[in-house]
Amino acid sequence: MLVAGFIMTSPAAVAAPNHCDTNAWESINSTIPEARLTDQMREKIRKGPDVPSPWDLTSTDGLLIWAMAPRIGGPALLPKEISGGALPLASYGFATRYSQTPVGPYNEISGLLTYARAQNPGMFAHSPFMVVDSPETAKNGRNNWGFPKSLADFTGTPRIGETLTATGPGWSVTVSSRPLLFDVPMSLPNFLGYVQMPEQLSFEQPSPECGTKKMRSLRLGGTSATVKLALITVKTEGSDELRAMLPSGIFPGGYITFNNLGFDKPGMN
């Protein structure tokens, strides 16, 4: 607990990390209504196994990423736990199908906010929206990293030149792409291992049971990828918050296929 700038601990707080690893997923919330769990989602997610980090992910069908201008005004998308002093930077959208993961293949569409703080110089990131079609990754994404993953129905594919759509009650997000220029192959040497981000560059995902989970490292050693520049077309219907996070329009971006992307266990405060 943070009181007047000092960190206070208690026996319950000391025990929290073990509890967080397996039981925190239900308490994680979001500023975006479509990312909040329904009772039906909870029933599906509760049955899934606990698969702790680290995770290794492969995407042969690819990942689309697009950049959006900083948000000024409109609905507040950062949760109150991390919103203090935040200065908005660019936002990003992602659409992907992971072909290999510890819980099997799944589709995902998500949004990411980046921001700075004048009192703590650096760049930080938070995802208030991640929808998937796998109860197993919804449970473990919440437990492991504090991502507010919720469930949706998916059609299509994120492959370049094609369309991926996520739908739920009263909302939808459709993402399609048009390639620009040529593929650029990339690889990283095996000895690289971890890319460790400094304190001033981290993901921040509040978890009521755990505090704020902060992920600062990715395992990229041996990763091979292809990258293609693209124009990304997005069509979003739903709440004001969802349309602010992933607005409709045409955005600059890219299409990436990769293997051996690793997500490690985050730190907590």
Side-chain angles (χ1 to χ4, degrees), residues 89-118:
L89 301 176
S91 300
Y92 298 90
F94 301 87
T96 187
R97 175 174 172 79
Y98 292 113
S99 48
Q100 293 183 12
T101 80
V103 294
Y106 62 89
N107 293 292
E108 180 174 291
I109 292 179
S110 60
L112 184 73
L113 303 165
T114 62
Y115 47 97
R117 291 194 181 97

Side-chain angles (χ1 to χ4, degrees), residues 7 25 106 108 143 230 266:
I7 296 176
W25 62 269
Y106 62 89
E108 180 174 291
N143 278 337

Side-chain angles (χ1 to χ4, degrees), residues 12-257:
V14 172
N18 289 332
H19 178 68
C20 290
D21 288 343
T22 56
N23 299 318
W25 62 269
E26 288 195 71
S27 67
I28 292 171
N29 207 344
S30 174
T31 58
I32 297 180
E34 289 83 354
R36 300 169 191 163
L37 296 181
T38 64
D39 290 341
Q40 186 178 25
M41 290 180 191
R42 286 188 172 90
E43 286 185 18
K44 294 179 179 179
I45 293 171
R46 192 173 291 119
K47 299 174 184 177
D50 296 312
V51 185
S53 54
W55 278 28
D56 290 294
L57 308 173
T58 296
S59 181
T60 55
D61 285 334
L63 178 148
L64 292 170
I65 177 173
W66 62 99
M68 297 164 282
R71 292 189 59 258
I72 305 298
L77 300 183
L78 284 178
K80 63 182 185 300
E81 294 93 332
I82 59 174
S83 62
L87 306 173
L89 301 176
S91 300
Y92 298 90
F94 301 87
T96 187
R97 175 174 172 79
Y98 292 113
S99 48
Q100 293 183 12
T101 80
V103 294
Y106 62 89
N107 293 292
E108 180 174 291
I109 292 179
S110 60
L112 184 73
L113 303 165
T114 62
Y115 47 97
R117 291 194 181 97
Q119 293 182 342
N120 183 15
M123 187 176 79
F124 305 88
H126 170 75
S127 177
F129 179 76
M130 285 189 178
V131 291
V132 296
D133 55 0
S134 162
E136 294 79 10
T137 193
K139 182 179 185 181
N140 289 284
R142 286 169 165 261
N143 278 337
N144 289 333
W145 301 285
F147 294 136
K149 291 191 175 186
S150 58
L151 300 179
D153 296 320
F154 281 77
T155 57
T157 168
R159 287 192 294 267
I160 192 74
E162 301 187 33
T163 299
L164 182 67
T165 299
T167 59
W171 68 270
S172 66
V173 179
T174 297
V175 182
S176 58
S177 59
R178 180 163 63 90
L180 299 173
L181 303 177
F182 45 82
D183 292 338
V184 179
M186 301 173 62
S187 63
L188 293 172
N190 283 310
F191 66 78
L192 184 62
Y194 290 82
V195 172
Q196 182 71 38
M197 295 180 286
E199 173 72 26
Q200 292 77 20
L201 183 63
S202 63
F203 287 83
E204 299 182 320
Q205 298 292 145
S207 171
E209 300 287 344
C210 306
T212 296
K213 294 196 171 190
K214 295 192 174 188
M215 185 175 66
R216 301 190 187 97
S217 66
L218 297 172
R219 282 173 295 107
L220 300 174
T223 296
S224 61
T226 60
V227 180
K228 180 187 286 289
L229 296 179
L231 287 178
I232 313 298
T233 299
V234 181
K235 182 178 180 181
T236 299
E237 298 179 353
S239 67
D240 291 344
E241 292 84 357
L242 178 59
R243 289 183 287 110
M245 179 68 259
L246 295 175
S248 299
I250 301 175
F251 304 95
Y255 171 74
I256 306 170
T257 62

